[in-house]
Amino acid sequence: MAGRALKRLMTEYKQLTLNPPEGIIAGPTNEENFFEWEALIMGPEGTCFECGVFPAKLIFPPDYPLSPPKMQFTCEMFHPNIYPDGRVCISILHAPGDDPMGYESSAERWSPVQSVEKILLSVVSMLAEPNDESSANVDAAKMWRDDRDQFNRIAERLVRKTLNLPYP
Amino acid sequence: MPAPMPVGALTMASFALTAAVIGNAYYQKKQFYPSVVYITKSNPSMAAIYLLAFTMVILLGKLLKKVFFGALRAAEFEHLIERSFYAVTETCLAFTVFRDDFSPKFVALFTVLLFLKTFHWLADYRVDFMERSPVITLLFHVRVTCLLLLLSLLDLVLVNHAYHSTITRGASVQLVFGFEYAILLTVALNIGVKYVCHTVDLQSENPWENKAMYLLYTELCMGFVKVVLYAVFMIIMIRIHTFPLFIIRPMYLTMRSFKRALNDVILSRRAIRNMNTLYPDATPEELRAVDNVCIICREEMLTGAKKLPCGHIFHASCLRSWFQRQQTCPTCRMDILRQPPPAQGGAAGAAAAARNAQQPPTPPAQPQTPQPQQQQRQAQQQMPNPFAGLFAGMPMPVGPPPVGLPPFPFPPMPMHQAQQQQAAAASASASTTEAGTSSSTTTTSTSTSSSASSTGQAGGAIPTAPFNMLPPLFPLLPFNIPPPPPPLNFAAMTEDEVRQLEGNERQHVEARIKVLRNIQTLLDAAVVQMNQYASVVASLDMNSQSIPRNATPQQAGATESASAPEPSSSQAAEPMVGAAADRANSRDPDSLKEATSVTSNDEAARSEVTSSTSVAASPSSLSSTTTTSASADTSTPDELHPDSPQEIRRRRLERFTQNT
């Protein structure tokens, strides 16, 4: 009998393939290893990330539903809650024990009730509404707060980059 | 993966260099012995030889890796590099302590140590990987078993060697090796236990529930042994040499993990004991009431499901492994260890009692006094008592409305104010009627089944009916009073409250109960209004013998008491619900779901209303006949025709249905 984590990941994969949420595609990178997933996230409509398709990878721990996975965008991102190297910093991905930013209440932390789908949906909403209070990318947070036009320009450049379009 | 080219190039270069050095020496000295002496005397030649040795070690390592592991995965390689970096820096620190003993031999020994360490780590990763991989081949088992045996054997031999050399030749750098290998031996043992556990788990059909516990205990024991080893080593080192700087980091890490393991063991033992003794097994009915899927493993719960005091149900095995991490409910994060013992006992007792009645397990008396710190912790998310939050959040003073006041001239108020009044009415009635108590307890209960709530509703409906039915009910009521406005329930709530409503089944249920109660209020109002009509019609009948044409069917229906009010009152309820749904729609889809589910639950409420209507209509029609004289002057048949209440009402209904 394979591990519990594997079974749960397979279940989630099946659910995600049967009822894919809008704007999100996710699945294991290869069938050999269910603990590394790739996800494609569409930029939410009506935001500066609209139309972008952002690839990310998810790394699951061996005790998966008990510990949160790690998520990292594999494209260039400029966002207050995404580290410059692409790692996503949202409270749902943090186990209640550790608190890198010191802001989060335990109510919004990881628990086995969460799932890949919920993570990706919260990432989409994070793209739409950055939380500039606990910023992983201070430059982006500052620009988001003070110079929204410039932020939007950068976001548009990133969107064009993900689509392989030329950008000014 | 490292590119093969650098290693190949390095191998080629070192071989070429060595060949050149040897060739040069042999060319100069012509004989074997003098050439050897020449090479050992010349530093550049020795450097070339060392380079060759280094290359050989790398090649050997690659060979062993190929034999025991095959290709490394990217993550493994990353971890390996990271840990090797630390190991090398620590070794360099160790060299500073033993700089007197520094010689190529020690470099070689440290290299061997580093190699063994890396193989231990890799074995660790591989065994961890067993849990993730869907297929484990026989080759994997053979490899891991051989590797573990080999590593343990090597560790033992080297510990033994270090021990003897220390005994015979006194303390030297061998002491360090001895301890390092002893630590590695514990690591190897730990990996071995893990491997055995995973293998047993793989062989069995069902997940092995105690595996996590065994692993936790193994970790604890090994952590303890390691801490002791480090402490002894540190004491010896301080007495013989100096403070061993290089073991500070591993020692700190070991102590931290030991502390964590100890903490985990203690807390999880407590939580699991609580779970085994205090929390009831979920009954099949409860399982059916929720969707029967354990949210931790996303699989169906057939047997072995446990119910936490907060009402959430999980597999016992899933809960056990979760409690080894955290001692909270996975869904609502209620701290199960901080739950006061009496409440737990009460919950268990109540659950035992409730299993017959299929009632929710929360004791009726307990929720009124929630633990303050617990309530703060949960930040009003997990309110045991729905009214506690309402009363706390409401600035408006709460007083029971005067008993006997008909609810019909219903002031336009937001839904939860109405709800509050309702609650106050319920609590007021609780003192007088037995049925009232049952209604208030059902609202505080953590019921998840809608059937339970609707039966509670039916129970609560009976005591409120007498208040509504108190005659004479203002026969002079102006008929163009606007009907009760659709409740502003979701619009009146703050964003936070709406968010609280989401994602929590229990709160959904509470909201449903609230909505149902509001519907009940509205229906009661409609019933009262119908009684008014009936009385008016009856008075018309008595005063003026000429019967208006359009009043005839209404009157006939009203005098037959039960049948006529029923359809129109339920009709009145329908647009209300529709309007509520409309409002909910504008707020968020989740509450829309609630509202629509309310419409389905409406069936139950309606049937209950019909029963109350039949009770209500007959006494009020009797009483209205006694108070006809007052209403007679305002409502003559001629006035009634264009502005008749039925007409107004029908027009309003049309407007409502158009809106929805």
Coordinates of all heavy atoms in Angstrom, one line a residue, chain B residues 248-315:
Chain B
I248 N 29.3 22.7 17.3 CA 28.2 23.5 17.9 C 27.0 23.4 17.1 O 25.9 23.2 17.5 CB 28.7 24.9 18.1 CG1 29.7 25.0 19.2 CG2 27.5 25.9 18.4 CD1 30.1 26.4 19.6
R249 N 27.2 23.6 15.7 CA 26.0 23.6 14.9 C 25.3 22.3 14.9 O 24.0 22.2 15.2 CB 26.4 24.0 13.5 CG 25.2 24.4 12.6 CD 25.6 24.5 11.2 NE 25.9 23.2 10.6 CZ 24.9 22.5 9.8 NH1 23.8 23.1 9.6 NH2 25.2 21.4 9.4
P250 N 26.0 21.1 14.6 CA 25.2 19.9 14.7 C 24.6 19.6 16.0 O 23.5 19.0 16.1 CB 26.3 18.8 14.3 CG 27.5 19.5 14.4 CD 27.3 20.9 14.2
M251 N 25.3 20.0 17.1 CA 24.8 19.8 18.4 C 23.5 20.5 18.7 O 22.6 20.0 19.2 CB 25.9 20.1 19.5 CG 25.5 19.7 20.8 SD 26.9 19.9 21.9 CE 26.2 20.0 23.4
Y252 N 23.6 21.8 18.2 CA 22.4 22.6 18.4 C 21.2 22.0 17.7 O 20.1 21.9 18.2 CB 22.7 24.0 17.9 CG 21.4 24.9 17.8 CD1 20.8 25.3 18.9 CD2 20.9 25.2 16.6 CE1 19.6 26.1 18.8 CE2 19.8 26.0 16.4 CZ 19.1 26.4 17.6 OH 18.0 27.2 17.5
L253 N 21.5 21.6 16.4 CA 20.4 21.0 15.6 C 19.8 19.8 16.2 O 18.6 19.6 16.3 CB 20.9 20.7 14.2 CG 21.2 21.9 13.3 CD1 21.7 21.5 12.0 CD2 20.0 22.8 13.1
T254 N 20.8 18.9 16.8 CA 20.3 17.7 17.4 C 19.5 18.0 18.6 O 18.4 17.4 18.8 CB 21.5 16.9 17.8 OG1 22.4 16.8 16.7 CG2 21.1 15.5 18.2
M255 N 19.9 18.9 19.4 CA 19.1 19.2 20.6 C 17.8 19.8 20.2 O 16.8 19.4 20.9 CB 19.9 20.2 21.5 CG 21.0 19.5 22.2 SD 22.1 20.7 23.0 CE 21.8 20.5 24.7
R256 N 17.8 20.6 19.2 CA 16.5 21.2 18.8 C 15.5 20.1 18.4 O 14.3 20.1 18.8 CB 16.7 22.2 17.7 CG 15.6 23.2 17.7 CD 15.8 24.3 16.7 NE 15.9 23.7 15.3 CZ 16.0 24.4 14.2 NH1 16.1 25.7 14.3 NH2 16.1 23.8 13.1
S257 N 16.0 19.2 17.5 CA 15.1 18.2 17.0 C 14.7 17.2 18.1 O 13.6 16.8 18.1 CB 15.8 17.4 15.9 OG 16.8 16.7 16.3
F258 N 15.6 17.0 19.1 CA 15.3 16.2 20.2 C 14.2 16.8 21.0 O 13.2 16.2 21.4 CB 16.5 15.9 21.1 CG 16.2 15.1 22.3 CD1 15.7 13.8 22.3 CD2 16.3 15.8 23.6 CE1 15.4 13.1 23.4 CE2 16.0 15.1 24.7 CZ 15.6 13.7 24.6
K259 N 14.3 18.1 21.2 CA 13.3 18.8 22.0 C 11.9 18.8 21.3 O 10.9 18.5 21.9 CB 13.7 20.3 22.2 CG 12.8 21.1 23.1 CD 13.3 22.4 23.3 CE 12.2 23.4 23.8 NZ 11.7 24.3 22.8
R260 N 12.0 18.9 20.0 CA 10.8 18.9 19.2 C 10.1 17.5 19.3 O 8.9 17.4 19.5 CB 11.0 19.3 17.8 CG 9.8 19.6 17.0 CD 10.1 20.0 15.6 NE 10.8 21.2 15.5 CZ 11.6 21.5 14.4 NH1 11.7 20.7 13.4 NH2 12.2 22.7 14.4
A261 N 11.0 16.5 19.1 CA 10.4 15.2 19.2 C 9.8 14.9 20.5 O 8.7 14.3 20.6 CB 11.6 14.2 18.9
L262 N 10.5 15.3 21.6 CA 9.9 15.1 22.9 C 8.6 15.8 23.1 O 7.6 15.2 23.6 CB 11.0 15.6 23.9 CG 10.7 15.2 25.4 CD1 10.9 13.7 25.5 CD2 11.7 16.0 26.3
N263 N 8.6 17.0 22.6 CA 7.3 17.8 22.7 C 6.2 17.1 21.9 O 5.1 17.0 22.4 CB 7.6 19.2 22.2 CG 6.7 20.2 22.8 OD1 6.2 20.0 23.9 ND2 6.5 21.3 22.0
D264 N 6.6 16.7 20.7 CA 5.6 16.0 19.9 C 5.0 14.8 20.6 O 3.8 14.6 20.6 CB 6.2 15.6 18.6 CG 6.3 16.8 17.6 OD1 5.8 17.8 18.0 OD2 6.9 16.6 16.5
V265 N 6.0 14.0 21.1 CA 5.5 12.8 21.8 C 4.6 13.1 22.9 O 3.5 12.5 23.0 CB 6.7 12.0 22.2 CG1 6.3 10.9 23.2 CG2 7.5 11.4 21.1
I266 N 5.0 14.1 23.7 CA 4.1 14.3 24.9 C 2.7 14.8 24.5 O 1.7 14.3 24.9 CB 4.8 15.4 25.8 CG1 6.0 14.7 26.4 CG2 3.9 15.8 26.9 CD1 6.9 15.7 27.2
L267 N 2.7 15.9 23.6 CA 1.5 16.5 23.2 C 0.6 15.5 22.5 O -0.6 15.4 22.7 CB 1.7 17.7 22.4 CG 2.2 18.9 23.2 CD1 2.4 20.1 22.2 CD2 1.3 19.3 24.3
S268 N 1.2 14.7 21.5 CA 0.4 13.8 20.7 C -0.1 12.7 21.6 O -1.2 12.2 21.4 CB 1.2 13.3 19.6 OG 2.3 12.4 20.1
R269 N 0.7 12.3 22.6 CA 0.2 11.2 23.5 C -1.1 11.7 24.2 O -2.1 11.0 24.3 CB 1.2 10.8 24.5 CG 2.1 9.7 24.0 CD 3.0 9.4 25.2 NE 2.3 8.7 26.2 CZ 2.1 7.4 26.3 NH1 2.5 6.6 25.3 NH2 1.4 6.8 27.2
R270 N -1.0 13.0 24.6 CA -2.2 13.5 25.3 C -3.4 13.6 24.4 O -4.5 13.2 24.7 CB -1.8 14.9 25.9 CG -1.9 14.8 27.4 CD -1.5 16.1 28.1 NE -1.9 17.3 27.6 CZ -1.1 18.4 27.8 NH1 0.0 18.3 28.5 NH2 -1.5 19.6 27.4
A271 N -3.1 14.2 23.2 CA -4.2 14.3 22.3 C -4.8 13.0 21.9 O -6.0 12.9 21.8 CB -3.7 15.1 21.0
I272 N -3.9 12.0 21.7 CA -4.4 10.7 21.2 C -5.2 10.0 22.3 O -6.2 9.4 22.1 CB -3.3 9.9 20.6 CG1 -2.8 10.5 19.3 CG2 -3.7 8.5 20.4 CD1 -1.5 10.0 18.9
R273 N -4.7 10.2 23.5 CA -5.4 9.6 24.6 C -6.8 10.3 24.7 O -7.8 9.6 24.9 CB -4.6 9.8 25.9 CG -5.1 8.9 27.1 CD -4.4 9.2 28.3 NE -4.5 10.6 28.7 CZ -3.5 11.3 29.1 NH1 -2.3 10.9 29.1 NH2 -3.7 12.6 29.5
N274 N -6.8 11.6 24.6 CA -8.1 12.3 24.6 C -9.0 11.7 23.5 O -10.2 11.4 23.8 CB -7.9 13.8 24.3 CG -7.6 14.5 25.6 OD1 -7.5 13.9 26.6 ND2 -7.5 15.8 25.4
M275 N -8.4 11.5 22.4 CA -9.2 11.1 21.2 C -9.8 9.7 21.5 O -10.9 9.4 21.3 CB -8.4 11.0 20.0 CG -9.1 10.7 18.8 SD -8.0 10.6 17.3 CE -7.3 9.1 17.6
N276 N -8.9 8.8 22.1 CA -9.4 7.4 22.3 C -10.4 7.3 23.4 O -11.3 6.5 23.3 CB -8.2 6.5 22.6 CG -7.3 6.3 21.4 OD1 -7.7 6.5 20.3 ND2 -6.0 6.0 21.6
T277 N -10.2 8.2 24.4 CA -11.1 8.0 25.5 C -12.3 8.9 25.5 O -13.4 8.4 25.8 CB -10.3 8.2 26.8 OG1 -9.8 9.5 26.8 CG2 -9.3 7.2 27.0
L278 N -12.1 10.1 25.1 CA -13.2 11.1 25.3 C -14.1 11.3 24.1 O -15.3 11.5 24.2 CB -12.6 12.5 25.7 CG -11.9 12.5 27.0 CD1 -11.3 13.8 27.3 CD2 -12.9 12.1 28.1
Y279 N -13.5 11.2 22.9 CA -14.3 11.6 21.8 C -15.1 10.4 21.3 O -14.5 9.3 21.2 CB -13.4 12.2 20.6 CG -12.6 13.3 21.1 CD1 -11.3 13.5 20.6 CD2 -13.0 14.1 22.1 CE1 -10.5 14.5 21.0 CE2 -12.2 15.1 22.6 CZ -10.9 15.3 22.1 OH -10.1 16.3 22.5
P280 N -16.3 10.6 20.9 CA -17.1 9.4 20.5 C -16.8 9.0 19.1 O -16.3 9.8 18.3 CB -18.5 10.0 20.6 CG -18.4 11.4 20.4 CD -17.1 11.8 20.9
D281 N -17.0 7.8 18.8 CA -17.0 7.3 17.4 C -18.2 7.9 16.7 O -19.3 8.1 17.3 CB -17.1 5.8 17.4 CG -15.9 5.1 17.8 OD1 -14.8 5.8 17.7 OD2 -15.9 4.0 18.3
A282 N -17.9 8.3 15.4 CA -19.0 8.9 14.7 C -20.0 7.8 14.3 O -19.6 6.7 13.9 CB -18.5 9.5 13.4
T283 N -21.3 8.0 14.5 CA -22.3 7.0 14.1 C -22.5 7.1 12.6 O -22.2 8.1 12.0 CB -23.6 7.3 14.8 OG1 -24.0 8.6 14.5 CG2 -23.4 7.2 16.3
P284 N -23.1 6.0 12.0 CA -23.4 6.1 10.6 C -24.3 7.2 10.2 O -24.1 7.8 9.1 CB -24.0 4.7 10.4 CG -23.5 3.8 11.5 CD -23.3 4.7 12.6
E285 N -25.2 7.6 11.1 CA -26.1 8.7 10.8 C -25.3 10.0 10.6 O -25.5 10.8 9.7 CB -27.1 8.9 11.9 CG -28.2 7.8 12.0 CD -27.7 6.6 12.7 OE1 -26.7 6.7 13.4 OE2 -28.3 5.5 12.5
E286 N -24.4 10.2 11.6 CA -23.5 11.4 11.5 C -22.7 11.4 10.2 O -22.5 12.4 9.6 CB -22.7 11.5 12.7 CG -23.4 11.9 14.0 CD -22.6 11.7 15.2 OE1 -21.6 11.0 15.2 OE2 -23.0 12.3 16.2
L287 N -22.2 10.2 9.9 CA -21.4 10.1 8.7 C -22.2 10.5 7.5 O -21.7 11.1 6.6 CB -20.8 8.7 8.6 CG -19.7 8.4 9.5 CD1 -19.2 7.0 9.3 CD2 -18.5 9.4 9.3
R288 N -23.4 10.0 7.5 CA -24.3 10.3 6.3 C -24.6 11.8 6.3 O -24.7 12.4 5.2 CB -25.6 9.5 6.4 CG -25.5 8.2 5.6 CD -26.9 7.7 5.3 NE -27.6 7.4 6.5 CZ -27.4 6.3 7.2 NH1 -26.5 5.4 6.8 NH2 -28.1 6.0 8.3
A289 N -24.7 12.4 7.5 CA -25.1 13.8 7.5 C -24.0 14.7 6.9 O -24.3 15.6 6.1 CB -25.4 14.3 8.9
V290 N -22.8 14.4 7.2 CA -21.7 15.1 6.5 C -21.5 14.3 5.2 O -22.2 13.4 5.0 CB -20.4 15.2 7.3 CG1 -20.7 16.1 8.5 CG2 -19.9 13.9 7.7
D291 N -20.5 14.7 4.4 CA -20.4 14.0 3.1 C -19.6 12.8 3.1 O -19.2 12.2 2.1 CB -20.0 15.0 2.0 CG -18.7 15.6 2.3 OD1 -18.1 15.3 3.4 OD2 -18.2 16.4 1.5
N292 N -19.3 12.3 4.3 CA -18.7 11.0 4.5 C -17.2 10.9 4.0 O -16.7 9.8 3.8 CB -19.5 10.0 3.8 CG -19.3 8.6 4.3 OD1 -18.6 8.4 5.3 ND2 -19.8 7.6 3.6
V293 N -16.6 12.0 3.7 CA -15.2 12.0 3.3 C -14.3 12.6 4.3 O -14.6 13.7 4.9 CB -15.1 12.8 2.0 CG1 -13.6 13.0 1.6 CG2 -15.8 12.1 0.9
C294 N -13.3 11.9 4.7 CA -12.4 12.4 5.7 C -11.5 13.5 5.0 O -10.9 13.2 3.9 CB -11.4 11.3 6.2 SG -10.1 11.9 7.1
I295 N -11.6 14.7 5.5 CA -10.9 15.8 4.8 C -9.4 15.7 4.8 O -8.7 16.3 4.1 CB -11.5 17.1 5.4 CG1 -11.2 18.3 4.5 CG2 -10.8 17.4 6.7 CD1 -12.4 18.5 3.6
I296 N -8.9 14.9 5.7 CA -7.4 14.7 5.8 C -6.9 13.9 4.6 O -6.0 14.3 3.9 CB -7.0 14.2 7.1 CG1 -7.4 15.1 8.2 CG2 -5.5 14.0 7.2 CD1 -7.0 14.7 9.6
C297 N -7.5 12.7 4.4 CA -7.0 11.8 3.4 C -7.9 11.8 2.2 O -7.5 11.2 1.2 CB -6.8 10.4 3.9 SG -8.3 9.7 4.5
R298 N -9.0 12.5 2.2 CA -9.9 12.6 1.1 C -10.4 11.2 0.7 O -10.6 10.9 -0.5 CB -9.3 13.3 -0.1 CG -8.8 14.6 0.1 CD -9.9 15.6 0.2 NE -9.5 16.8 1.0 CZ -9.2 17.9 0.5 NH1 -9.3 18.1 -0.8 NH2 -8.9 18.9 1.2
E299 N -10.6 10.4 1.7 CA -11.2 9.1 1.4 C -12.5 8.9 2.2 O -12.7 9.6 3.2 CB -10.2 8.0 1.6 CG -9.2 8.0 0.5 CD -8.2 6.9 0.7 OE1 -8.5 5.8 1.2 OE2 -7.0 7.2 0.5
E300 N -13.2 7.9 1.8 CA -14.5 7.7 2.5 C -14.3 7.2 3.9 O -13.3 6.4 4.1 CB -15.3 6.7 1.7 CG -15.9 7.3 0.5 CD -17.2 6.7 0.1 OE1 -17.5 5.6 0.7 OE2 -18.0 7.2 -0.7
M301 N -15.1 7.6 4.8 CA -15.0 7.1 6.1 C -16.1 6.0 6.3 O -17.3 6.2 6.2 CB -15.3 8.2 7.1 CG -14.2 9.2 7.1 SD -14.5 10.5 8.4 CE -15.7 11.5 7.7
L302 N -15.6 4.8 6.4 CA -16.5 3.7 6.7 C -16.5 3.3 8.1 O -17.6 3.2 8.8 CB -16.1 2.5 5.8 CG -16.2 2.9 4.3 CD1 -15.7 1.7 3.4 CD2 -17.6 3.2 3.9
T303 N -15.3 3.0 8.6 CA -15.2 2.7 10.0 C -14.1 3.5 10.6 O -13.3 4.2 9.9 CB -14.9 1.2 10.2 OG1 -13.7 0.9 9.4 CG2 -16.0 0.3 9.8
G304 N -14.1 3.5 11.9 CA -13.0 4.1 12.7 C -12.9 5.6 12.5 O -11.9 6.2 12.5
A305 N -14.1 6.2 12.4 CA -14.2 7.7 12.4 C -14.4 8.2 13.8 O -15.2 7.6 14.5 CB -15.3 8.1 11.4
K306 N -13.7 9.3 14.1 CA -13.9 9.9 15.4 C -14.5 11.3 15.2 O -14.2 12.0 14.3 CB -12.5 10.0 16.1 CG -12.0 8.7 16.6 CD -12.6 8.5 18.0 CE -12.0 7.2 18.6 NZ -12.7 6.8 19.8
K307 N -15.2 11.7 16.2 CA -15.8 13.0 16.2 C -15.2 13.9 17.3 O -15.2 13.5 18.5 CB -17.3 12.9 16.4 CG -18.1 14.2 16.3 CD -19.6 13.9 16.2 CE -20.3 15.2 16.1 NZ -21.7 14.9 15.8
L308 N -14.7 15.0 16.9 CA -14.1 15.9 17.9 C -15.2 16.7 18.6 O -16.3 16.7 18.1 CB -13.2 16.9 17.1 CG -11.9 16.2 16.5 CD1 -11.1 17.3 15.9 CD2 -11.2 15.5 17.5
P309 N -14.8 17.3 19.7 CA -15.8 18.1 20.4 C -16.5 19.2 19.6 O -17.6 19.6 19.9 CB -15.1 18.7 21.6 CG -13.8 17.9 21.7 CD -13.5 17.3 20.4
C310 N -15.7 19.7 18.6 CA -16.3 20.7 17.7 C -17.2 20.2 16.7 O -17.8 20.9 15.9 CB -15.2 21.5 17.1 SG -14.0 20.5 16.3
G311 N -17.4 18.9 16.6 CA -18.4 18.3 15.7 C -17.8 17.8 14.4 O -18.5 17.3 13.6
H312 N -16.5 18.0 14.2 CA -15.9 17.6 12.9 C -15.5 16.2 13.0 O -15.0 15.7 14.0 CB -14.8 18.5 12.5 CG -15.2 19.9 12.3 ND1 -14.8 21.0 13.2 CD2 -16.0 20.5 11.4 CE1 -15.4 22.1 12.8 NE2 -16.1 21.8 11.7
I313 N -15.6 15.5 11.9 CA -15.4 14.0 11.9 C -14.2 13.7 11.0 O -14.1 14.2 9.9 CB -16.7 13.3 11.4 CG1 -17.8 13.7 12.3 CG2 -16.5 11.8 11.5 CD1 -19.2 13.1 11.9
F314 N -13.4 12.8 11.5 CA -12.2 12.4 10.7 C -11.9 10.9 11.0 O -12.4 10.4 12.0 CB -10.9 13.2 11.1 CG -11.1 14.7 11.0 CD1 -11.5 15.4 12.1 CD2 -10.9 15.4 9.8 CE1 -11.7 16.7 12.1 CE2 -11.1 16.7 9.8 CZ -11.5 17.4 10.9
H315 N -11.1 10.3 10.1 CA -10.5 9.0 10.4 C -9.7 9.1 11.7 O -9.0 10.0 11.9 CB -9.6 8.6 9.3 CG -10.3 8.0 8.2 ND1 -10.0 8.3 6.9 CD2 -11.3 7.0 8.1 CE1 -10.8 7.6 6.1 NE2 -11.6 6.9 6.8

